[in-house]
Amino acid sequence: MMNKRLKEKAGFGALAVLTFLAVVPVLAIIGYLVWQGWPALTWEFLTQPPRKFLTEGGIYPAIIGTLALTVGTIMVAMPLGIGTAIYLVEYAGENVFNKLIRIAIINLAGVPSVVYGLFGMGMFVLTLGLGRSLAAGALTLGILTLPIIISTAEEALLAVPDNYRYASLALGATKWQTVRRVVLPVALPAILTGTILGIGRAAGETAPIMFTAAVVYTPRLPDSIYDQVMALPYHLYAISTEVPNVSQHMAFGAALVLLAIVGAMNLVAVVIRTRMRLKRLR
Amino acid sequence: MCDKNKMETRNLNLYYKGFQALINVSFPVKENTVTALIGPSGCGKSTFLRTLNRMNDVIDGTRIEGEVLLDDENIYDAEVDPVVLRKQVGMVFQRPNPFPMSIYDNIAYGPRIHGRKNKDELNEIVEKSLQAAALWDEVKDRLHKSALGLSGGQQQRLVIARVLAVDPQVILMDEPASALDPISTAKLEDLIHQLKSSYTIVIVTHNMQQAARVSDFTGFFLNGEMIEYSVTNTMFTAPRVKQTEDYITGRFG
Amino acid sequence: METRLSNYYEKGIKYFFGLIAGTSILLLFLIFSLLFREGLGVFSNVGVMDFILGTRWLPVSETPFFGALPMIIGSIIVTLGAGMLAIPAGIGIAVYLAEVAPRSVREVAKAVIELLAGIPSVVYGFLGLTVLAPVIKDLLNLPSALTAFTAALVLAIMALPTVVSISEDALDAVPRDYREASLALGATKWETTVKIVLPSARSGLMAASMLGLGRAIGETMAVLMVAGNAMIIPHSIFDPVRTITASIAAEMGETVQGGLHYQALFGLGVVLFTITFVINLITDLIFTRTSSVKRGTSL
């Protein structure tokens, strides 16, 4: 009996240590990033274009480029993703077409980001002739984000009790009236949470935009969707591998800003979700 | 009490994925009366109720044979739009299901989807419906608060008010009191009595005392068949069929 | 008349959403056909076997060679290495969180894991390059720490959140009755976990592992930054390697559209797409099996 107990203590104890060992160093490294990057975050760094082959100046065009790409991604992925989820949850029965849609979504979710990059380049940059541009990058990132948005929106719609749908239909509402006036408003916070999480992921992607939208250096801010842009993730890649003589703290500064943008999006999503939970408890 | 059949089913059969849930049911619903449907769980009384406003259409795999008449028109005819039908035949569900909106918006939901936009008109409909559902005095000061803050009994009356707001002719109630406490149940039964003068009501209930208290006619269902139909008093004092007697005296079910 | 019109309107809306949903099929088809269209040239010019099994990749030399084997091996080594680290660790962490951790620890750990999952891969690559690699270099006394080992370690950290959260879901889905039955027979919690809970969650844990591997093999930026990118077949885990993804990312900028090098990179895309497609298929099969099992027990 003693032996059994000892074995149990040792087993679970080892797992606790493992969890600690896996999580703490990673958090420490991120802490180090914040510590190293913090001094670089000056007003000039955030609002000026880079100078002298990216070794001096700021990252303003990269920040703007990433924000522009993010807005574009939302415009591509949100209508398609939410529309698909509405179809799957509210309209689709069981037939071959719907099965195919599900298989396609599962497989799209597994396609590596660099393959999306290849596709974006072949399709949007070359075949459709958009060139290396904001539009091509946003379309590529939008498609990459689509599966995440579909699956979270689908979950959100499934979580709406059927009671609401029945009540609305029994009052003589049509299906679409029911979806638009009852189901969507109830599901909206959860849909937004998922969408923001998905878009946050897209904002940090590098491989899909490096052949479709991003350039190492341009002092110009984009003024049309056909312009090429700087983007933070690609900028970070470039200054930490390809561009010589970039000071350590500028690279850490760029990494910290990227992390902050992505983190801020996640934070917004979490806040929406928490408020939703509290509301439900009340 | 007049003798006109507001609704009527003729030789109604309903199949659900190969299983026959209703067998040859012919059943009258008289205008401006309360008709109760009783029977053990799974006997088909709720399914039958849902054929009366085509809510079974929502479930995949159901198939119907026979006729369901509303004012002598078959509601399963190809020209009949279930959406229009459900405006005429409203439904109250087992669990109170107010939408997560304000009390006002819950009541105004039906009129709005049917095209009423005028504010004064909506205000009037909301007040009238809540009064008719005996809820106005309890909620008139918090019309714009969430309907989810109401008690279970209040929610169920709110749901009835919501049905009244689309001005139906028939109201179907599927065990409307099963989630309510005795006081709320009594209030609901009073309400059903009052509504009878203007509406035709069909109520499914588990509770035979309730059937006896609120209804004028009662139908007894067993295994998908309508076993007996008669005036409620007769049914509970002198049932004609042995199975009915067994059920109402509590020998099974 | 009004009825008819509104019916057409409703039908129209249904078809509209059907059309939107259909874009997913169209997109998958487009990705598939575009990769093949652009990559086909290399398969016919170099030959499928020479492309996949060739050991020399010299795309810009006088007589170019397009043998992808070093990269295929590089991808496999790095992915398996990451899997060997991330799968046991991830499942172990999931067991700790699902079975023993106090509620507060569990909540905090879940938030941290979600946070880690949200960090962009280029940031992982940057940290691997500037923080982790120097430490590994000193610790193991290597000439350079940009090796398959470092890449596997970084990938393992990146795959961990996926493995942990899906494993945890799988453990949560094991019915409480099983645990209680085992405990009531006098088994300790540890014995119950090892002998009852883990086997019951087996297919969910397998799916978690597959998804973790899928995540690792498709990962690009971090690997590009820390794996060393040498175009050789590695002899040990401490050699630098170059993966399929890294080659595409690193070389695409230098190619001419339609040229053989360009086609070769799309050919690599086809190989990668095929590998992930197969991994997805397996995962999907496992998932359908688990969900049918779940349905069976809940009825």
Side-chain angles (χ1 to χ4, degrees):
Chain A
M1 193 61 207
M2 235 10 248
N3 201 2
K4 265 176 107 170
R5 281 286 172 210
L6 212 63
K7 207 164 144 195
E8 176 170 35
K9 276 228 164 74
F12 284 130
L15 291 181
V17 170
L18 172 70
T19 306
F20 189 76
L21 280 182
V23 172
V24 169
V26 178
L27 287 183
I29 290 177
I30 292 165
Y32 180 72
L33 165 68
V34 176
W35 180 52
Q36 287 287 307
W38 192 253
L41 300 190
T42 60
W43 185 245
E44 192 210 350
F45 187 69
L46 296 174
T47 58
Q48 294 296 313
R51 282 178 284 116
K52 297 192 178 161
F53 302 106
L54 308 183
T55 56
E56 279 178 32
I59 54 169
Y60 183 61
I63 296 176
I64 295 301
T66 286
L67 293 181
L69 279 169
T70 308
V71 172
T73 307
I74 293 173
M75 279 163 36
V76 174
M78 219 165 130
L80 278 180
I82 296 175
T84 303
I86 289 176
Y87 179 75
L88 288 175
V89 176
E90 306 293 335
Y91 289 99
E94 281 189 20
N95 60 37
V96 180
F97 177 61
N98 304 325
K99 216 166 229 171
L100 272 178
I101 292 174
R102 286 190 186 281
I103 292 173
I105 293 167
I106 289 168
N107 280 293
L108 283 178
V111 172
S113 62
V114 71
V115 172
Y116 279 109
L118 281 180
F119 172 70
M121 179 173 125
M123 190 72 209
F124 304 125
V125 176
L126 300 174
T127 307
L128 296 184
L130 290 173
R132 189 181 280 248
S133 63
L134 205 51
L139 283 166
T140 309
L141 287 177
I143 295 171
L144 172 121
T145 323
L146 197 56
I148 307 178
I149 296 186
I150 292 173
S151 62
T152 50
E154 203 185 340
E155 264 171 50
L157 292 171
L158 283 173
V160 176
D162 272 344
N163 263 339
Y164 294 162
R165 295 185 179 88
Y166 294 152
S168 173
L169 292 174
L171 288 167
T174 63
K175 187 124 199 175
W176 173 235
Q177 285 171 327
T178 302
V179 170
R180 190 165 58 97
R181 292 173 179 247
V182 178
V183 179
L184 276 182
V186 176
L188 198 63
I191 292 179
L192 281 182
T193 308
T195 305
I196 298 170
L197 285 175
I199 302 290
R201 185 116 348 138
E205 281 287 355
T206 314
I209 57 169
M210 62 197 293
F211 332 128
T212 58
V215 288
V216 175
Y217 174 69
T218 167
R220 278 186 48 216
L221 299 179
D223 47 32
S224 97
I225 57 169
Y226 302 109
D227 284 351
Q228 45 190 22
V229 291
M230 285 182 76
L232 260 185
Y234 187 53
H235 178 73
L236 176 60
Y237 167 70
I239 59 176
S240 54
T241 59
E242 292 186 334
V243 182
N245 305 323
V246 177
S247 75
Q248 187 91 335
H249 81 268
M250 279 193 71
F252 273 102
L256 183 56
V257 173
L258 175 59
L259 209 56
I261 290 178
V262 174
M265 286 191 199
N266 287 347
L267 199 69
V268 170
V270 170
V271 167
I272 294 177
R273 189 170 57 192
T274 319
R275 280 182 50 179
M276 204 162 60
R277 268 189 205 150
L278 290 178
K279 212 170 161 190
R280 203 169 293 150
L281 285 179
R282 232 183 291 141
Chain B
M1 206 185 292
C2 95
D3 255 356
K4 185 190 169 220
N5 279 349
K6 182 68 189 173
M7 293 192 81
E8 184 181 357
T9 68
R10 290 187 185 154
N11 305 325
L12 179 69
N13 288 300
L14 183 140
Y15 304 86
Y16 176 67
K17 289 185 178 164
F19 167 76
Q20 188 166 5
L22 293 176
I23 303 161
N24 211 21
V25 177
S26 297
F27 195 94
V29 175
K30 305 229 181 271
E31 189 161 33
N32 291 353
T33 64
V34 177
T35 304
L37 308 178
I38 61 170
S41 337
C43 66
K45 57 191 190 301
S46 287
T47 308
F48 176 75
L49 191 76
R50 294 164 69 96
T51 59
L52 299 181
N53 71 340
R54 296 187 59 173
M55 277 303 280
N56 282 323
D57 291 17
V58 177
I59 302 164
D60 279 342
T62 53
R63 191 165 58 80
I64 283 241
E65 285 167 2
E67 291 183 318
V68 180
L69 306 179
L70 171 67
D71 293 329
D72 299 321
E73 255 188 273
N74 186 3
I75 63 171
Y76 282 89
D77 270 352
E79 306 88 75
V80 175
D81 186 342
V83 166
V84 176
L85 167 74
R86 290 180 197 136
K87 208 175 124 186
Q88 294 165 313
V89 184
M91 185 162 205
V92 174
F93 295 81
Q94 199 167 350
R95 304 205 132 265
N97 56 357
F99 299 126
M101 315 168 178
S102 71
I103 293 168
Y104 184 95
D105 288 338
N106 261 281
I107 309 295
Y109 178 81
R112 276 177 178 148
I113 56 171
H114 296 120
R116 307 244 171 144
K117 294 201 177 88
N118 184 302
K119 262 214 121 167
D120 296 333
E121 204 183 348
L122 283 175
N123 289 341
E124 196 191 317
I125 293 175
V126 169
E127 180 172 349
K128 260 175 62 185
S129 308
L130 284 168
Q131 263 165 353
L135 192 60
W136 175 252
D137 292 333
E138 291 163 60
V139 301
K140 62 174 185 245
D141 299 325
R142 47 170 170 159
L143 288 177
H144 296 282
K145 295 255 164 64
S146 167
L148 300 181
L150 298 175
S151 75
Q154 288 173 323
Q155 288 190 2
Q156 201 60 305
R157 278 179 284 146
L158 175 82
V159 169
I160 292 174
R162 190 172 65 186
V163 171
L164 298 180
V166 299
D167 198 21
Q169 298 157 26
V170 181
I171 303 174
L172 311 175
M173 299 185 178
D174 190 356
E175 301 191 32
S178 65
L180 303 185
D181 61 83
I183 294 172
S184 303
T185 303
K187 281 191 187 168
L188 186 75
E189 289 177 5
D190 282 348
L191 175 59
I192 292 172
H193 257 295
Q194 289 165 29
L195 293 175
K196 189 166 77 173
S197 55
S198 339
Y199 304 92
T200 303
I201 296 173
V202 185
I203 175 171
V204 163
T205 176
H206 243 84
N207 179 330
M208 277 172 287
Q209 285 78 28
Q210 185 170 65
R213 281 193 302 265
V214 301
S215 71
D216 307 300
F217 297 93
T218 299
F220 171 60
F221 280 70
L222 187 63
N223 297 331
E225 285 181 276
M226 204 272 285
I227 303 293
E228 181 166 353
Y229 170 85
S230 60
V231 174
T232 299
N233 263 333
T234 318
M235 171 86 87
F236 283 97
T237 50
R240 273 174 286 127
V241 185
K242 175 87 169 51
Q243 288 151 309
T244 316
E245 192 182 343
D246 287 348
Y247 180 70
I248 58 182
T249 53
R251 238 163 275 168
F252 70 88
Chain C
M1 195 57 213
E2 180 211 35
T3 323
R4 278 290 157 83
L5 260 177
S6 78
N7 267 345
Y8 285 130
Y9 182 65
E10 284 287 314
K11 271 240 162 70
I13 286 171
K14 180 178 173 168
Y15 289 131
F16 171 70
F17 281 116
L19 214 63
I20 288 181
T23 44
S24 293
I25 303 177
L26 180 72
L27 284 171
L28 188 67
F29 173 77
L30 281 176
I31 292 174
F32 188 75
S33 54
L34 187 124
L35 284 183
F36 271 90
R37 189 190 78 193
E38 303 289 310
L40 206 61
V42 77
F43 293 118
S44 55
N45 283 332
V46 179
V48 176
M49 275 308 155
D50 286 345
F51 182 69
I52 292 175
L53 296 178
T55 56
R56 277 197 293 179
W57 181 270
L58 298 166
V60 287
S61 77
E62 199 86 353
T63 44
F65 286 92
F66 294 98
L69 192 64
M71 291 173 279
I72 294 174
I73 291 180
S75 278
I76 290 174
I77 283 186
V78 169
T79 303
L80 288 184
M84 278 157 62
L85 292 167
I87 291 169
I91 292 176
I93 292 171
V95 168
Y96 173 70
L97 293 180
E99 304 293 320
V100 275
R103 215 187 135 75
S104 54
V105 172
R106 191 176 176 179
E107 290 300 314
V108 172
K110 276 188 148 173
V112 170
I113 285 164
E114 204 166 327
L115 176 88
L116 294 182
I119 296 177
S121 77
V122 68
V123 172
Y124 276 112
F126 172 70
L127 291 173
L129 186 69
T130 52
V131 183
L132 197 60
V135 174
I136 291 177
K137 184 179 162 190
D138 290 345
L139 273 182
L140 301 178
N141 206 8
L142 298 168
S144 160
L146 300 183
T147 62
F149 174 74
T150 312
L153 191 60
V154 173
L155 278 188
I157 295 170
M158 295 176 70
L160 204 58
T162 310
V163 180
V164 172
S165 61
I166 295 173
S167 300
E168 213 197 331
D169 288 347
L171 295 171
D172 273 344
V174 175
R176 243 165 69 142
D177 313 7
Y178 292 10
R179 293 188 179 86
E180 284 170 359
S182 166
L183 292 173
L185 290 170
T188 63
K189 204 167 176 183
W190 175 254
E191 287 166 333
T192 305
T193 302
V194 174
K195 293 186 178 149
I196 304 294
V197 179
L198 284 177
S200 312
R202 193 178 51 225
S203 39
L205 298 177
M206 264 159 66
S209 309
M210 294 304 290
L211 282 174
L213 289 181
R215 175 104 215 257
I217 200 163
E219 178 44 51
T220 309
M221 298 317 291
V223 188
L224 176 62
M225 292 164 87
V226 301
N229 293 330
M231 192 55 79
I232 49 159
I233 294 179
H235 297 287
S236 101
I237 188 123
F238 295 108
D239 282 342
V241 295
R242 181 160 199 173
T243 63
I244 300 173
T245 52
S247 305
I248 299 174
E251 292 173 23
M252 198 41 131
E254 308 154 10
T255 62
V256 185
Q257 186 198 353
L260 200 55
H261 189 192
Y262 171 92
Q263 292 174 353
L265 294 181
F266 273 91
L268 286 182
V270 171
V271 173
L272 188 63
F273 184 80
T274 312
I275 296 175
T276 50
F277 195 82
V278 170
I279 291 181
N280 278 326
L281 212 65
I282 297 172
T283 318
D284 193 36
L285 282 178
I286 298 171
F287 258 133
T288 8
R289 224 176 64 201
T290 40
S291 60
S292 68
V293 168
K294 262 186 224 156
R295 229 175 283 139
T297 50
S298 71
L299 274 175

